[in-house]
Amino acid sequence: MYNVTHPPASVCILRLSAIGDTCHVLPVIRTLQRAWPNTRITWVIGRLEAKLFGHLPDVEFIVVDKRENTLKARSKLKEQLRGRSFDVLMHMQLSLRASIISTAIPAKIRLGFDRGRAREMQWLFTNMRIAPASRQHVLDSLFGFAEKFDVYERELRWDVPLTDDAIAYAKRVIPEPGNTVIISPCSSHQLRNWRPEYYAEVADYAIASLGLRVILCGGPSDIERRTGERIESLMKQQCLNTIGQDTLLQFFATLERATLLITPDSGPAHMGTAAGTPVIGLYAATNPARSGPYLSRQWCVDKYDQASRRLLGKPATEIPWTTKIERPGVMDLITPDDVIKKMHALLLSLARNKK
């Protein structure tokens, strides 16, 4: 068995998506790099996610286009890896599609999740499993891959280098750090999204009562653009709407200069953590203890248990850990006052830490 004193020469990590989950992978890589400084690390990653992390100088990236047919993507990856072999494959994705693609990666040890968590038959595609665990945050579960090799001292570090273009963009959007709230209003799952009128109320309060600037951020999809326009139209105060105008890396650089981020369960919540920015996460459809922003769970508005009791008839402690309560109206359990209270508490904490 490989360990800290006898590390593998090469490790391949398979985690294609999504943005939030790839944010969770990076601290595991940083942990392995510190424990195994001479180990070559390769990351098989999705095309979109590579736009955020693919320029890291100390990791080899092999990009898979998830828009392609599974067998075609597998065939391309197999050709790219022809003649190569890895000591260890860390198969960190549970989808059957990812498992099929994993068969193109030659490796002596094929490490996956324990049988209890290896959904979609992942266990058929591995020959070693991480230790069983229950009710863990996603990031904690991924650290299980390092712990399997006796690497226990965690490195909660992302160190995403910024390009000159990203830095310049962020400075244009936030000239002076320290007084800006970013609202990224949309998740890729529509039933996790909060009402535009609620965002508008919180944004108006942040500007009028707290003296903060508010920036709306998001991708170029129709729902994100429409949501941003709707928030703007409902606001009494003036905000800056940059939805659809930045790249992932420009957005990351902007997050680094922000005071705080408000967002539902989404990729940006975890990008905020990676950027070192506190996150007020809006959680009712999903469980923040499992998928909340890892370093900001105390700032999340958590209505998951209330949603479970109201819509499933039992407390959250009695439902499966991975349950999503994505029902119409579930996010209405979160009120603007809930978010404003969290914002006050977070700003007070930041002020105290500056003293």
Side-chain angles (χ1 to χ4, degrees), residues 175-227:
E176 295 293 333
N179 67 335
T180 302
V181 176
I182 290 180
I183 293 177
S184 180
C186 292
S187 164
S188 58
H189 302 266
Q190 193 165 350
L191 291 173
R192 299 180 192 177
N193 290 344
W194 207 35
R195 290 179 178 268
E197 53 266 39
Y198 289 173
Y199 279 122
E201 185 175 336
V202 169
D204 278 335
Y205 185 89
I207 296 168
S209 299
L210 298 176
L212 299 169
R213 296 177 68 237
V214 171
I215 301 175
L216 305 181
C217 293
S221 68
D222 287 343
I223 187 170
E224 287 170 286
R225 290 183 187 275
R226 289 197 306 270
T227 300

Side-chain angles (χ1 to χ4, degrees), residues 234-245:
L234 292 166
M235 286 179 62
K236 299 180 177 67
Q237 306 294 325
Q238 197 75 28
C239 73
L240 175 62
N241 184 354
T242 67
I243 290 176
Q245 298 177 22

Side-chain angles (χ1 to χ4, degrees), residues 19 98-99 118 130 132 135 180 201 204 225 268 297-298:
I19 288 292
S99 289
I130 66 173
R135 305 183 92 78
T180 302
E201 185 175 336
D204 278 335
R225 290 183 187 275
R297 280 171 285 178
Q298 73 271 37

Side-chain angles (χ1 to χ4, degrees), residues 59-70:
V59 179
E60 176 195 20
F61 288 88
I62 298 177
V63 178
V64 171
D65 190 341
K66 299 191 295 293
R67 298 173 300 180
E68 290 185 334
N69 171 275
T70 300

Side-chain angles (χ1 to χ4, degrees), residues 111-117 128-134 136 140-149 152:
L111 178 62
F113 285 93
D114 57 284
R115 185 67 179 267
R117 290 180 288 180
M128 187 180 291
R129 297 164 194 168
I130 66 173
S134 61
Q136 282 187 317
D140 292 323
S141 72
L142 295 182
F143 271 119
F145 284 81
E147 290 164 1
K148 185 68 176 180
F149 297 100
Y152 293 99

Side-chain angles (χ1 to χ4, degrees), residues 66-125:
K66 299 191 295 293
R67 298 173 300 180
E68 290 185 334
N69 171 275
T70 300
L71 294 180
K72 183 178 180 181
R74 180 195 176 278
S75 177
K76 282 188 176 181
L77 179 60
K78 187 176 179 65
E79 183 61 32
Q80 283 181 277
L81 294 175
R82 185 178 297 278
R84 296 182 61 180
S85 181
F86 299 94
D87 288 333
V88 178
L89 166 65
M90 295 186 176
H91 184 357
M92 294 184 177
Q93 192 148 353
L94 290 167
S95 70
L96 179 59
R97 172 182 168 82
S99 289
I100 292 170
I101 289 172
S102 78
T103 62
I105 303 173
K108 300 168 190 172
I109 292 175
R110 310 179 66 83
L111 178 62
F113 285 93
D114 57 284
R115 185 67 179 267
R117 290 180 288 180
R119 299 193 306 274
E120 299 197 29
M121 300 185 293
Q122 193 217 42
W123 53 273
L124 288 173
F125 298 85

Side-chain angles (χ1 to χ4, degrees), residues 309-320:
R309 291 172 186 272
R310 182 172 299 186
L311 297 172
L312 303 181
K314 58 183 72 174
T317 54
E318 295 181 11
I319 63 176

